[in-house]
Amino acid sequence: MDARTFDKSKLPSRHVTEGPSRAPHRSYYYAMGLTEDEIRRPFVGVVSCWNEAAPCNIALQRQAQSAKTGVKESGGTPREFCTITVTDGIAMGHQGMKSSLVSREVIADSIELTMRGHCYDALVGIAGCDKSLPGTMMAMLRLNVPSVFMYGGSIMPGKYKGRDVTVVDVFEGVGMHSSGKMTDEELHDLECVACPGAGACGGQFTANTMACVSEAIGLALPGSAGAPAPYTSRDQYAVESGKAVMRLVADGIRPRDIVTLKAFENAATVVAATGGSTNAALHLPAMANECGIDFDLFAVAEIFKRTPYIADLKPGGKYVAKDVFDIGGVPQILKALLEGGYLHGDCLTVTGKTLAQNLEQVTFNTDQKVVYPVSNPISPTGGVVGLSGSLAPEGGIVKVAGLKKLTFRGPARCFDCEEDAFRAVSNREYKDGDVIIIRYEGPKGGPGMREMLSTTAALYGQGAGDKVALITDGRFSGATRGFCIGHVGPEAAVGGPIGLVQDGDIIAIDADKGTLDLEVEAAELERRRKAWKAPPNPYQSGAIRKFADQVGPARYGAVTHAGGKAEVVCYADI
């Protein structure tokens, strides 16, 4: 593709490269070694979340270089930059987790500001950790310049005593250790082999869930989510992503042409079908907000309710992301769902073709046990379920993949922060049949809506995963398993019913019917409500304070701005 086929007068970069008044601007590009020809070409931002914070991100810089090659070969001028990540596995179980969801907004904002400030014409985004995937895609939808997303790849499975393990086995090992089921030496041996190299957590946790979403929603090239991070075959996908974004520039195809309401329905379908992370029910509404589409927690839950669960993936199942890659990748899952009538095949994608056209040459692999055909699903409804009721008027979410029992009723045991709950669990200060409540951990009340993997994994490691339930207005890791309900709204900090629960109150959960109820008389709840006072927010400065001031309910994605509906001028049109 020749650079002269692009009309620079219609691209944002004209504001920094064209005409005599932009001589000072061009001088900066000469300082970085660009030629006159390269300055005349479209400028493509190539953003990655490379850093040394965690294995999720350490392979991204290599892939970004390959994406730049694809851009150059197709007539564009790549301009590389990085954004932040907060890695949940390291932030987990302490105050650092308050930074996690906030980082999604910072990632989206920082990409937006870099693109706006330098007037880049298109975007290739490479992300590898839980919040960086939705954060990058949110920026693409917000800016609405031609964009291609690419996942940086999952980690290879670790090996311990002859079986595949992931980091969740280590978190659960902490619970086994606390209950005397694992020695110091065994826990140490496990932690040393669980994460063998680069890549995001290997199960169908949040990173791999959102990677599947990137293909299903049409923002990523088919098959690009599959190969593990260490595989150099990823580099060719990065080259092709760079070429693809230049085709989108030439054809004038923008993210909001691709990511429609039907595309969001496709995305929710693949989450349910794979028993994916409950966090997707937070990230999909946040992405929808960027393009002004109504797609809240209840809309996501409706899709979950009618989707079969077909991929036998950890934490509820047997297999990891590499196993999906080995049997043909995400296109295998999409092909099964499309043939079963569960996807909108007419949705446009970054290939310039529809989802159905992308899958025409894919044949469903029947010689494998990772992905089932929809005619013989693991269960007839999705691996993730939305709930609502008197305890959660604005909804809640639970991953039921792998659960044998979908109902639970028991007395509440209330904690006002995760640390108190984790301490009680570690000391086994709970009874079988209890419903553990962790509150004031919502988007505003946390602030930051922490994940509770340390607590849930400890319960599972102690053998109590199916003997207690856990309910929070915070979040769960995609690695969480057991009867664990998150995103309960309204959250406690704004006076939601979860803030009025007292020890001993009976709570009833029915994931078959989709209900979550507090069995307390309305008059008694009203008496408690009058006596309730919101606790003070101890975070009175910095990014977490700003997030607490601006964030909205989990039902709508816990977003911090009005989104596409309020937009007057779109960046892509400047």
Side-chain angles (χ1 to χ4, degrees), residues 64 70 124 190 192 208 210 219 237 270 272 296 343 395 424 453 465 505 523 535 549:
V124 177
L190 174 60
C192 289
N208 282 315
M210 296 308 295
L219 286 175
Y237 274 111
V270 82
D296 68 359
L343 294 178
L453 178 59
D505 288 348
D549 287 347

Side-chain angles (χ1 to χ4, degrees), residues 217-567:
I217 211 165
L219 286 175
L221 292 178
S224 63
Y231 285 24
T232 55
S233 59
R234 295 206 63 79
D235 298 357
Q236 189 56 44
Y237 274 111
V239 172
E240 295 304 320
S241 294
K243 292 179 178 179
V245 84
M246 295 309 297
R247 289 194 298 271
L248 295 175
V249 173
D251 295 339
I253 297 175
R254 297 178 176 183
R256 296 183 199 174
D257 299 323
I258 293 167
V259 182
T260 61
L261 177 58
K262 290 201 293 186
F264 277 110
E265 291 177 349
N266 286 347
T269 297
V270 82
V271 173
T274 59
S277 170
T278 54
N279 282 306
L282 197 71
H283 300 323
L284 291 177
M287 290 168 61
N289 178 67
E290 299 291 352
C291 19
I293 292 173
D294 291 324
F295 197 67
D296 68 359
L297 172 64
F298 290 116
V300 174
E302 277 300 309
I303 305 297
F304 289 172
K305 194 183 300 182
R306 62 175 186 252
T307 304
Y309 169 41
I310 63 170
D312 192 13
L313 300 174
K314 287 179 178 286
K318 301 174 185 174
Y319 300 101
V320 295
K322 180 184 178 296
D323 297 313
V324 177
F325 170 70
D326 288 341
I327 61 102
V330 177
Q332 285 291 313
I333 300 168
L334 297 179
K335 185 72 171 185
L337 292 167
L338 182 68
E339 288 183 337
Y342 290 96
L343 294 178
H344 302 290
D346 58 343
C347 287
L348 184 65
T349 73
V350 291
T351 64
K353 301 177 181 178
T354 65
L355 184 68
Q357 289 171 329
N358 289 343
L359 295 170
E360 279 178 0
Q361 303 305 311
V362 176
T363 301
F364 183 70
N365 182 353
T366 57
D367 187 25
Q368 49 83 29
K369 298 179 181 179
V370 182
V371 179
Y372 289 54
V374 296
S375 59
N376 181 35
I378 300 168
S379 64
T381 55
V384 186
V385 172
L387 305 172
S388 63
S390 60
L391 185 60
E394 290 185 358
I397 197 87
V398 60
K399 181 186 284 193
V400 297
L403 288 184
K404 295 181 175 64
K405 183 181 176 185
L406 298 183
T407 60
F408 200 100
R409 184 175 179 274
R413 180 84 195 283
C414 300
F415 300 93
D416 288 349
C417 68
E418 188 196 8
E419 284 84 355
D420 290 349
F422 182 72
R423 192 177 304 111
V425 168
S426 297
N427 295 328
R428 298 188 65 85
E429 295 171 357
Y430 62 88
K431 298 176 182 176
D432 290 354
D434 279 351
V435 179
I436 296 171
I437 303 286
I438 307 178
R439 57 193 177 192
Y440 299 107
E441 292 286 7
K444 190 175 290 290
M449 203 177 182
R450 288 194 290 179
E451 291 182 353
M452 307 292 163
L453 178 59
S454 291
T455 303
T456 60
L459 284 166
Y460 215 92
Q462 291 175 353
D466 59 351
K467 297 172 183 173
V468 299
L470 196 152
I471 298 173
T472 181
D473 51 6
R475 297 182 295 123
F476 292 116
S477 165
T480 288
R481 54 179 172 166
F483 219 140
C484 301
I485 298 164
H487 305 195
V488 168
E491 62 174 292
V494 299
I498 191 171
L500 307 179
V501 181
Q502 295 181 358
D503 286 346
D505 288 348
I506 299 300
I507 293 171
I509 310 162
D510 191 326
D512 268 328
K513 295 180 180 177
T515 57
L516 176 59
D517 290 309
L518 172 61
E519 296 182 357
V520 175
E521 294 291 334
E524 170 60 17
L525 283 181
E526 185 57 31
R527 185 190 66 78
R528 295 180 190 178
R529 185 173 284 109
K530 288 178 180 177
W532 175 86
K533 290 183 180 179
N537 173 15
Y539 290 83
Q540 290 298 316
S541 63
I544 295 176
R545 163 64 190 263
K546 286 193 288 185
F547 182 83
D549 287 347
Q550 297 167 3
V551 72
R555 174 181 175 179
Y556 300 106
V559 296
T560 56
H561 69 111
K565 280 190 175 181
E567 183 178 84

Side-chain angles (χ1 to χ4, degrees), residues 132-150:
S132 62
L133 280 82
T136 301
M137 288 187 275
M138 285 164 66
M140 292 174 171
L141 296 170
R142 184 184 303 177
L143 294 161
N144 204 31
V145 291
S147 300
V148 176
F149 177 85
M150 196 178 98

